[in-house]
Amino acid sequence: MKANSLTSHLLALSSLLSIPLLGLIYIYLNHGNGMVHSLVTDFDRQLPFLKVFVLPYLFWYPFLFIAFVYLAFKNREVFYQTLVQFNIGLLICYGFYAVYQTYVPRPELVGDDWLLQMVRGVYSSDQPYNCFPSTHVLTTYLMMKAYLRTAGIPRMYTAAVTIVSILIIASTQFVKQHVLLDIAGAILVAEGVIYAVTRIHKGWFSKPIIAKPQQSTWEGSLRR
């Protein structure tokens, strides 16, 4: 691998640090702020708590990193577009958290097996606030869409990303971290961000270059 290529890859991967840096905003907002809203519906109450879904829920972290690394090597343009979408989408979600904070009630955990211990770890590290829209769903959905729209990625990889994404999104419900409206809000934000970033990108890089026509020799001779 050439030195400049290695530097290019390192610079691209280092840009992923923008995501945890923005996460500092989430940490600041991750507490009760007085007036808290509930978006729980009857359908949410009917959904069971399934502790096994803590596995795809936690797999979200390595999943996004691995998927980004592959895009960095496979299609740098899509990599940066997706990263920009992530950052804009996260800022929009944090804006919601600042002005409209929601709360999701958690079930009582009975038992002491390793799956329940993992769920307890999730609950203890993340307060039950800042749920609408779900950043878990937002980022997972954006990554899934990036793979679905990118040409040249093997179908097996795209299928794997799609399946894992669906499991991660479903896990937000079955571990009782989010409600259905949190998913709907996240998808709406994601689609809006995808549309905006795509339009801006096309506007910047698809402008036709208008060259000033040169006068022909015979026209110049006539004017003289």
Side-chain angles (χ1 to χ4, degrees), residues 2 7 57 65 67 75 92 129 161 186 212 217-218:
K2 296 181 179 179
T7 302
Y57 186 85
F65 180 74
N75 192 314
I92 292 173
Y129 306 105
V161 168
K212 184 178 180 180
T217 305
W218 65 270

Side-chain angles (χ1 to χ4, degrees), residues 136-186:
H136 235 74
V137 174
L138 169 82
T139 52
T140 303
Y141 184 84
L142 287 173
M143 187 60 71
M144 179 178 68
K145 293 279 288 192
Y147 272 71
L148 287 172
R149 75 172 184 269
T150 303
I153 295 180
R155 291 183 179 180
M156 181 178 66
Y157 292 178
T158 301
V161 168
T162 302
I163 293 170
V164 172
S165 297
I166 292 172
L167 288 174
I168 291 174
I169 292 173
S171 74
T172 64
Q173 304 298 297
F174 293 123
V175 297
K176 299 301 179 179
Q177 281 287 89
H178 290 281
V179 296
L180 291 173
L181 287 176
D182 298 338
I183 292 181

Side-chain angles (χ1 to χ4, degrees), residues 210-223:
I210 303 174
K212 184 178 180 180
Q214 295 181 347
Q215 286 185 336
S216 61
T217 305
W218 65 270
E219 286 179 332
S221 299
L222 287 176
R223 290 188 179 181

Side-chain angles (χ1 to χ4, degrees), residues 21-183:
L21 286 175
L22 286 180
L24 297 175
I25 301 175
Y26 178 84
I27 295 174
Y28 176 77
L29 297 171
N30 191 28
H31 57 79
N33 193 24
M35 187 174 182
V36 181
H37 307 272
S38 175
L39 300 178
V40 179
T41 64
D42 290 336
F43 190 79
D44 290 303
R45 297 186 184 95
Q46 294 173 10
L47 287 175
F49 166 75
L50 300 175
K51 59 186 178 182
V52 70
F53 273 89
V54 71
L55 297 177
Y57 186 85
L58 290 175
F59 187 63
W60 175 70
Y61 299 95
F63 164 73
L64 292 182
F65 180 74
I66 294 169
F68 261 127
V69 169
Y70 181 80
L71 283 179
F73 285 85
K74 186 67 175 180
N75 192 314
R76 190 64 55 80
E77 183 178 352
V78 174
F79 169 86
Y80 281 120
Q81 281 188 44
T82 306
L83 181 59
V84 169
Q85 291 167 6
F86 265 54
N87 289 334
I88 295 175
L90 289 173
L91 287 173
I92 292 173
C93 288
Y94 298 156
F96 273 98
Y97 302 159
V99 300
Y100 188 79
Q101 196 169 64
T102 61
Y103 171 87
V104 174
R106 292 168 171 174
E108 181 181 356
L109 301 179
V110 179
D112 199 37
D113 59 76
W114 64 279
L115 286 174
L116 285 175
Q117 291 289 359
M118 294 177 73
V119 176
R120 288 192 179 95
V122 170
Y123 287 178
S124 63
S125 63
D126 188 17
Q127 297 298 314
Y129 306 105
N130 301 332
C131 305
F132 176 86
S134 166
T135 55
H136 235 74
V137 174
L138 169 82
T139 52
T140 303
Y141 184 84
L142 287 173
M143 187 60 71
M144 179 178 68
K145 293 279 288 192
Y147 272 71
L148 287 172
R149 75 172 184 269
T150 303
I153 295 180
R155 291 183 179 180
M156 181 178 66
Y157 292 178
T158 301
V161 168
T162 302
I163 293 170
V164 172
S165 297
I166 292 172
L167 288 174
I168 291 174
I169 292 173
S171 74
T172 64
Q173 304 298 297
F174 293 123
V175 297
K176 299 301 179 179
Q177 281 287 89
H178 290 281
V179 296
L180 291 173
L181 287 176
D182 298 338
I183 292 181

